[in-house]
Amino acid sequence: MTIAPGHTTPPTDACVASIADVFDPVLSRLEQWAELVERSAARPGRVLDRAELDLLVEKLVRAEFDDSNGCVIGAGFVSAPNFMGWHLAWWLGGKNAASRGLPAAGIRHLETVEDPLEESFRDYTALEWWRVPARTGRRHITGPYVDYLCTDEYTLTLTLPVYRGGSELIGVVGIDLSVDQIERDLVPRLDAGGVAVTIINASGRVVVSTDAHLATGALLRLPGLTELLADRTLPTTTLGRGNAHSFQWCGRTGLAVVAGPAPG
């Protein structure tokens, strides 16, 4: 990326606010879902079975699809193996590329192989969207990545761990967002005074950008960026040759916004 020495960038606060408008409601919804599933699983004298769990989760995700502007293309709960076995209470929306033939307002249950002895079984606990929140106990955004299991398109998966009794991990709740739809919603709002604005994940990969040279999933390479991504406590700061770019974490989303000159 060509850096103009001495170039400065405007504050990214407005961009961060636009990002929060998209992601904060989704993360808040996940927190509500986690609480409801935990409450159902912890009821004294009753054991939550798969059928009851699926009904609860389907009701939650159906409301989410109905309220969504098209960003939500998958959602549900994934069980810890020691809770309900290898079980995904997960639904896909009609706007999901993997749901061809389904009405736009419809949803369908994701059918998966749940028997670990089957050849096509997949251990989802090894995947990032499960592994990271299970290890950290915090919300996590995975992607962008092409989700061949659920969406067949570039996806962001937001997940949050669910506990019983405050310590026993019983699964994760999650929502798949369409990167394409997020780009359509966000890019027109990422106005930073004529400079390029790029949203990246915690690994430095591009989620969306107003710079046409930066493709979704590409690794953003700037001097000092790796060090900044390793420290979530840093406030707004600058990086690159001549401090040409500004960097700011987007609240607790795990995303960051970088604003600076586009390639010349």
Side-chain angles (χ1 to χ4, degrees):
M1 177 173 285
T2 302
I3 307 293
H7 183 91
T8 58
T9 60
T12 54
D13 289 352
C15 297
V16 169
S18 295
I19 296 165
D21 286 345
V22 172
F23 289 96
D24 283 354
V26 180
L27 292 166
S28 295
R29 192 84 73 231
L30 286 179
E31 291 174 350
Q32 295 170 10
W33 292 2
E35 182 180 350
L36 289 170
V37 173
E38 179 179 359
R39 189 185 307 163
S40 296
R43 288 176 303 179
R46 290 192 62 185
V47 177
L48 183 68
D49 60 23
R50 286 190 178 188
E52 188 178 5
L53 171 73
D54 287 0
L55 285 174
L56 168 64
V57 176
E58 182 180 4
K59 181 179 179 181
L60 295 174
V61 302
R62 189 178 291 277
E64 184 67 17
F65 284 121
D66 289 344
D67 292 342
S68 170
N69 62 357
C71 283
V72 177
I73 51 179
F77 170 83
V78 182
S79 172
N82 64 327
F83 178 54
M84 285 191 176
W86 301 90
H87 181 60
L88 288 88
W90 197 271
W91 277 262
L92 306 180
K95 295 184 179 180
N96 190 315
S99 295
R100 294 178 179 87
L102 187 70
I107 68 172
R108 71 174 178 88
H109 184 261
L110 176 66
E111 301 299 329
T112 59
V113 175
E114 299 183 347
D115 183 351
L117 298 180
E118 292 287 337
E119 184 177 354
S120 56
F121 170 79
R122 190 175 188 185
D123 179 359
Y124 51 71
T125 64
L127 302 179
E128 180 183 340
W129 53 260
W130 173 283
R131 186 182 69 251
V132 175
R135 174 176 54 84
T136 64
R138 298 192 298 269
R139 58 173 66 174
H140 182 69
I141 297 180
T142 301
Y145 67 104
V146 179
D147 185 0
Y148 294 108
L149 176 64
C150 296
T151 68
D152 291 336
E153 64 179 275
Y154 267 114
T155 303
L156 290 176
T157 299
L158 287 64
T159 44
L160 183 73
V162 183
Y163 295 93
R164 181 167 55 185
S167 59
E168 179 193 0
L169 178 68
I170 62 173
V172 301
V173 287
I175 290 177
D176 285 335
L177 300 180
S178 164
V179 172
D180 184 57
Q181 184 62 46
I182 290 172
E183 185 175 34
R184 285 196 291 268
D185 289 349
L186 264 181
V187 167
R189 301 163 60 186
L190 298 180
D191 181 6
V195 300
V197 175
T198 302
I199 303 169
I200 58 175
N201 67 11
S203 299
R205 294 201 176 274
V206 175
V207 177
V208 297
S209 179
T210 62
D211 181 355
H213 297 84
L214 292 175
T216 295
L219 193 63
L220 182 62
R221 301 183 184 277
L222 286 173
L225 180 59
T226 300
E227 291 76 14
L228 289 179
L229 290 172
D231 188 349
R232 298 285 185 93
T233 66
L234 287 173
T236 303
T237 188
T238 56
L239 73 159
R241 299 183 185 91
N243 292 333
H245 292 73
S246 65
F247 172 95
Q248 185 172 345
W249 286 108
C250 301
R252 297 189 297 151
T253 65
L255 303 174
V257 59
V258 177

